[in-house]
Amino acid sequence: MNEALLRSLTPSVLGILVRRGADFAAAEDAVQDALVEAVRVWPEEPPRDPKGWLVTVAWRRFLDATRAEAARRRREDLVDEEPAPGPVPAADDTLQLYFLCAHPSLTPSSAVALTLRAVGGLTTRQIARACLVPEATMAQRISRAKRTVSGVPLDQPGDVATVLRVLYLVFNEGYSGDVDLAAEAIRLTRQLAAAIDHPEVAGLLSLMLLHHARRATRIAPDGSLVPLAEQDRSRWDTGAITEGIGILQAALARDRLGEFQAQAAIAALHADAPRAEETDWVQIVEWYDELAGLTDSPVVRLNRAVAVGEADGPRAGLAELAALSDTLPRHTAVAAYLHERDGDLPTAARLYAEAAHKAPTLAERDHLTRQAARLNAGLRR
């Protein structure tokens, strides 16, 4: 069973049903039914025209569903309009579906779920497992999202920036369940890059590839986090790094800088250093300056303080940090790191312990607790 083929055909089949007159929610349900039927039938009877087969089955499932609704008489007119069997239109509605699934009226979590379902072709169970929520909760989330966008025309102009933010959220969801959402986000971003010529789409794809290249070295065998400086760089995926840097260079050459290109440039400088000690922190600070100008994000400025601490010394980093609110996520952890670099180990140990209590994930809490314990053990000697 070629699941990759099914997923790649999902957006165009859904788009065809919507253009024929089906509302988005009903069309999406019909397409999911057709996908289930394909999984059952195709291994024994593979179709000559997979896309045409899916369109035919999905359209019939849609018609079956409409006959059972209260608006039967109004919708039964669609039965008489069923196109004759034959090749389906070549129009690709993938880009419009990306925009629809990232509609501004949706919450970020709903946009992620709907994108994975309608564009990615994943089942509700797969999405629920990947996002670590109960299947019933995910089903409700997807159902509400479909109702929200059902009245939105498929050809309405969309916002590329919103689509990219949703795809980046997908990438950052993690690796739980039977679907690797990071790999799925890369696949969907490649698909988007093929549908639209935009330097920020290329920037996001580059950023994903560069981050994904380090994935195997981020977690130790015991489940603990491995900081970037301590990762085994010989295990980084050099193929993904080479591809990511090549995509980034082509995007930057167009001189239309955006935040994802700037983030990718920072990731590329980390990836390009054979050893942590050889990282070009001066250039990284310069890219953080560009990124701060594009986003004015306090989180970017927090990361910039770390880079300044590496480029110009920990006291310079602490001076940058002092200008930022201590309520920022990971502010205390950054302060602990810079104080340790500056040789103030008692303060660093105390701050590591404080940061552990504020950590957003169990893995980060354990890492920060270990850092505090390491310094306290050294102070007791």
Side-chain angles (χ1 to χ4, degrees), residues 36 105 132 138 155 158 203 293 306 309-310 323 340 374:
V36 171
S105 61
L132 302 178
M138 184 56 69
D155 57 356
V306 176
E310 299 288 356
E340 181 182 0
R374 172 178 58 80

Side-chain angles (χ1 to χ4, degrees), residues 327-361:
T327 62
L328 279 172
R330 300 183 175 87
H331 183 284
T332 307
V334 170
Y337 173 74
L338 291 173
H339 276 290
E340 181 182 0
R341 288 281 317 281
D342 194 39
D344 187 352
L345 303 189
T347 300
R350 175 178 57 80
L351 290 173
Y352 275 130
E354 287 182 19
H357 289 293
K358 304 175 184 177
T361 68

Side-chain angles (χ1 to χ4, degrees), residues 48-108:
R48 285 179 293 181
D49 179 9
K51 182 177 177 181
W53 189 99
L54 287 171
V55 170
T56 299
V57 173
W59 183 252
R60 288 174 180 169
R61 292 299 172 91
F62 165 70
L63 294 179
D64 289 342
T66 58
R67 292 189 188 100
E69 295 182 1
R72 177 182 302 174
R73 273 179 283 184
R74 180 178 64 83
R75 294 185 175 180
E76 277 185 346
D77 292 339
L78 294 170
V79 177
D80 299 327
E81 299 173 9
E82 180 174 0
V88 297
D92 188 355
D93 294 307
T94 301
L95 181 58
Q96 284 71 28
L97 286 174
Y98 273 101
F99 291 140
L100 187 65
C101 294
H103 195 268
S105 61
L106 296 174
T107 63

Side-chain angles (χ1 to χ4, degrees), residues 298-309 313-340 347 351 355:
V299 174
V300 169
R301 297 189 183 281
L302 182 68
N303 291 330
R304 181 184 178 278
V306 176
V308 169
R315 294 194 179 181
L318 287 167
E320 295 288 335
L321 191 64
L324 302 174
S325 170
D326 59 7
T327 62
L328 279 172
R330 300 183 175 87
H331 183 284
T332 307
V334 170
Y337 173 74
L338 291 173
H339 276 290
E340 181 182 0
T347 300
L351 290 173

